[in-house]
Amino acid sequence: MINFRHILLLLLFTITIFSCSSPEKQSEVNTNPIVTTKTEIWLFHQTRRCKSCKAVEAIAESVLRNEFLDIKDSVQLRKINLSLPENNQYAEKFKANWSGLYLCTQTSKGEIIENLTTFALFYAQIKPDTVYSLLKQKINQNLRL
């Protein structure tokens, strides 16, 4: 039969285990932070463009103009026409074969690529504010890595 003393000892033991942390692990985490150097918005399109593709471009340009103009060296928009053979290298890198929206963030630990194509193309015409907000949020998030 478990009595009050056993419960109290178990509780104290549990608190002691969870409250102790290794200072070595904490210092390891803090000594090598990830530093973001640049975030790029990659907008892929064909020569002939649909309304959704044009809407995504307008939203991306608006986000840059309204939210990140003061740090334009850290956040840039790259427009890539996939109909041109000289852009094949970018299509291969991002695995893009049609219209697309990608965030590419350069960090001290390497490159992070995020594909926002499906969401952006689906909502660009019907809920442009939603795409604007998501893009702004993702860029801010990436700048804080």
Side-chain angles (χ1 to χ4, degrees):
M1 178 173 243
I2 299 177
N3 63 24
F4 181 72
R5 286 185 188 165
H6 288 114
I7 294 173
L8 185 60
L9 285 172
L10 181 61
L11 182 63
L12 286 173
F13 178 74
T14 304
I15 291 171
T16 303
I17 287 179
F18 286 111
S19 65
C20 294
S21 62
S22 169
E24 293 175 319
K25 288 183 181 178
Q26 289 178 352
S27 65
E28 286 177 19
V29 171
N30 293 333
T31 58
N32 295 320
I34 297 175
V35 177
T36 300
T37 57
K38 179 170 49 170
T39 295
E40 295 175 324
I41 302 168
W42 286 71
L43 182 65
F44 291 95
H45 62 86
Q46 301 291 327
T47 301
R48 297 189 66 190
R49 301 172 69 186
C50 67
K51 288 181 182 180
S52 292
C53 180
K54 291 177 184 178
V56 169
E57 179 179 358
I59 293 166
E61 288 174 341
S62 181
V63 167
L64 287 178
R65 184 176 52 253
N66 296 330
E67 307 295 337
F68 301 103
L69 188 60
D70 56 333
I71 56 169
K72 62 182 176 184
D73 292 336
S74 297
V75 183
Q76 297 176 345
L77 175 63
R78 299 193 59 168
K79 301 175 193 178
I80 307 296
N81 184 343
L82 293 174
S83 299
L84 303 176
E86 61 265 22
N87 292 328
N88 287 345
Q89 62 185 346
Y90 304 119
E92 289 175 21
K93 176 180 178 177
F94 288 89
K95 297 179 178 76
N97 54 11
W98 202 250
S99 298
L101 178 69
Y102 297 81
L103 281 184
C104 182
T105 302
Q106 305 294 327
T107 72
S108 57
K109 301 279 184 176
E111 190 173 70
I112 300 168
I113 297 175
E114 188 170 6
N115 186 347
L116 304 174
T117 302
T118 303
F119 181 87
L121 289 174
F122 185 80
Y123 287 107
Q125 291 186 69
I126 58 175
K127 292 187 177 183
D129 291 343
T130 304
V131 178
Y132 184 101
S133 295
L134 177 74
L135 191 54
K136 176 184 169 184
Q137 172 196 357
K138 292 287 187 181
I139 293 170
N140 277 322
Q141 182 181 18
N142 289 352
L143 290 174
R144 285 184 292 229
L145 288 177

